[in-house]
């Protein structure tokens, strides 16, 4: 199944007084890259979030935005560094004895030692994670559906372009054998114009050398093989973007070779058409997972 690398999905979930909204978008990228933006207090869930995303998306740059709203009043607890307070109280007593100064240590004096007190927010981590993942899965499903639908359109376009390329290859194969014949006729005409006779052996040798240099049978064979592999890849139910990109490059290389070897204006015109088609294929392949 052909999938596009671009898409968008949005998911929401609620639990008691907790509401989560997840938005996820993906664009073209050589590899899989994921960026998650969410409230810092839920950062511990990032690994779970990326694991879910990787189950849906194998290739592409993914940006995830998570917002969490809680209607429940925040509750806090106080963490006390008792060792620091003990040291402070002992210091006051030691200083009083050392300098014969009467000093009553009161609670308000201890409260001034702000480094000894930390207020932390109490949150229900597990239930929040469940809500986040629920919204995330909904967003990923919608994103995946969008990528699949766009992938079908890309597949249809690629099949059309590949068929057009194949037709051009078959036409070029038909006219290529005529290249040597035309070369022989031109060479024979030139020799007649500048000499009194024709050395048939020399003529046949020159034509044979040209035919060998202009032979593009192997290139056409490989080109048709790449086209068949390309069509088969489109039927696979797995990420195929990199494979299609590689096959497109190989087809382009074979077409370039044909253009450089076949010294005929008709073949050259077909080569230009094939290059144009391959450029369209290359642009479309860049969007496939």
């Amino acid at each position: 199944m052909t999938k596009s690398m671009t898409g968008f999905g949005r998911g929401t979930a609620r639990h008691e007084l907790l509401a989560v909204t997840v938005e996820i978008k993906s664009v073209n990228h050589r590899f899989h890259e994921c960026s998650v933006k969410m409230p810092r207090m839920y950062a511990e869930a990032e690994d779970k979030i990326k694991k879910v995303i990787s189950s849906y998306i194998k290739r592409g740059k993914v940006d995830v935005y998570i917002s969490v709203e809680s209607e429940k009043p925040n509750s806090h607890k106080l963490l006390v560094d008792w060792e620091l307070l003990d040291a402070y109280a002992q210091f006051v007593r030691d200083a009083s004895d050392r300098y014969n100064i009467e000093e009553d240590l009161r609670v308000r004096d201890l409260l001034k030692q702000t480094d000894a007190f930390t207020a932390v927010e109490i949150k229900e981590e597990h239930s929040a994670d469940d809500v986040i993942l629920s919204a995330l899965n909904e967003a990923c499903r919608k994103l995946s559906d969008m990528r699949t639908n766009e992938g079908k359109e890309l597949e249809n376009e690629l099949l059309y372009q590949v068929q057009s390329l194949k037709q051009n290859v078959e036409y070029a194969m038909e006219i290529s054998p005529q290249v040597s014949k035309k070369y022989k006729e031109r060479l024979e005409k030139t020799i007649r114009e500048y000499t009194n006779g024709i050395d048939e052996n020399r003529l046949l040798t020159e034509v044979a050398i040209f035919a060998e240099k202009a032979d593009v049978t192997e290139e056409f064979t490989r080109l048709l093989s790449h086209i068949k592999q390309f069509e088969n890849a489109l039927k696979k139910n797995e990420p195929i973007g990199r494979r299609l990109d590689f096959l497109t490059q190989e087809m382009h290389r074979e077409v370039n070779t044909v253009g450089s070897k076949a010294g005929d204006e008709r073949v050259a015109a077909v080569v230009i058409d094939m290059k144009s088609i391959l450029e369209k294929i290359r642009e479309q392949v860049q969007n496939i997972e």
Side-chain angles (χ1 to χ4, degrees), residues 115-134:
D115 291 342
F117 305 99
T118 305
V120 296
E121 185 176 355
I122 301 174
K123 62 183 181 72
E124 299 178 3
E125 294 182 359
H126 299 293
S127 61
D129 288 359
D130 292 340
V131 181
I132 290 173
L133 295 179
S134 176

Side-chain angles (χ1 to χ4, degrees), residues 51-216:
K51 186 175 181 180
V52 170
I53 292 170
S54 63
S55 68
Y56 286 91
I57 300 172
K58 305 302 180 185
R59 185 172 175 233
K61 186 178 185 301
V62 184
D63 290 306
V64 185
Y65 304 92
I66 301 175
S67 63
V68 181
E69 296 181 3
S70 177
E71 300 175 10
K72 184 177 180 179
N74 294 334
S75 57
H76 296 75
K77 65 179 179 180
L78 187 66
L79 298 182
V80 182
D81 188 344
W82 290 107
E83 292 185 2
L84 181 59
L85 290 179
D86 289 343
Y88 173 76
Q90 186 61 48
F91 169 75
V92 172
R93 288 192 291 269
D94 291 345
S96 178
D97 293 340
R98 185 182 183 91
Y99 299 108
N100 295 320
I101 300 173
E102 282 193 19
E103 181 65 32
D104 293 333
L105 183 62
R106 302 182 181 182
V107 174
R108 65 170 175 265
D109 297 323
L110 296 177
L111 293 175
K112 294 178 182 179
Q113 310 310 309
T114 55
D115 291 342
F117 305 99
T118 305
V120 296
E121 185 176 355
I122 301 174
K123 62 183 181 72
E124 299 178 3
E125 294 182 359
H126 299 293
S127 61
D129 288 359
D130 292 340
V131 181
I132 290 173
L133 295 179
S134 176
L136 176 66
N137 273 286
E138 181 186 353
C140 285
R141 286 192 295 269
K142 292 180 179 178
L143 172 69
S144 181
D145 290 343
M146 185 173 180
R147 285 160 60 102
T148 300
N149 292 334
E150 188 172 323
K152 291 179 181 177
E153 296 181 5
L154 289 173
E155 181 178 341
N156 292 334
E157 176 63 21
L158 284 171
L159 286 173
Y160 171 79
Q161 296 295 345
V162 168
Q163 284 300 314
S164 180
L165 177 64
K166 189 175 181 180
Q167 291 172 3
N168 278 273
V169 173
E170 292 171 348
Y171 174 67
M173 291 176 69
E174 289 179 8
I175 62 177
S176 290
Q178 302 173 25
V179 174
S180 296
K181 182 179 178 181
K182 290 181 63 177
Y183 175 75
K184 181 182 177 181
E185 293 174 352
R186 290 198 305 268
L187 185 60
E188 185 176 359
K189 182 179 179 182
T190 302
I191 293 174
R192 288 186 185 280
E193 290 177 353
Y194 292 97
T195 64
N196 295 325
I198 297 177
D199 184 343
E200 290 292 338
N201 290 330
R202 178 65 183 275
L203 177 63
L204 292 174
T205 300
E206 290 292 333
V207 173
I209 293 173
F210 174 80
E212 183 178 355
K213 290 182 179 180
D215 184 22
V216 289

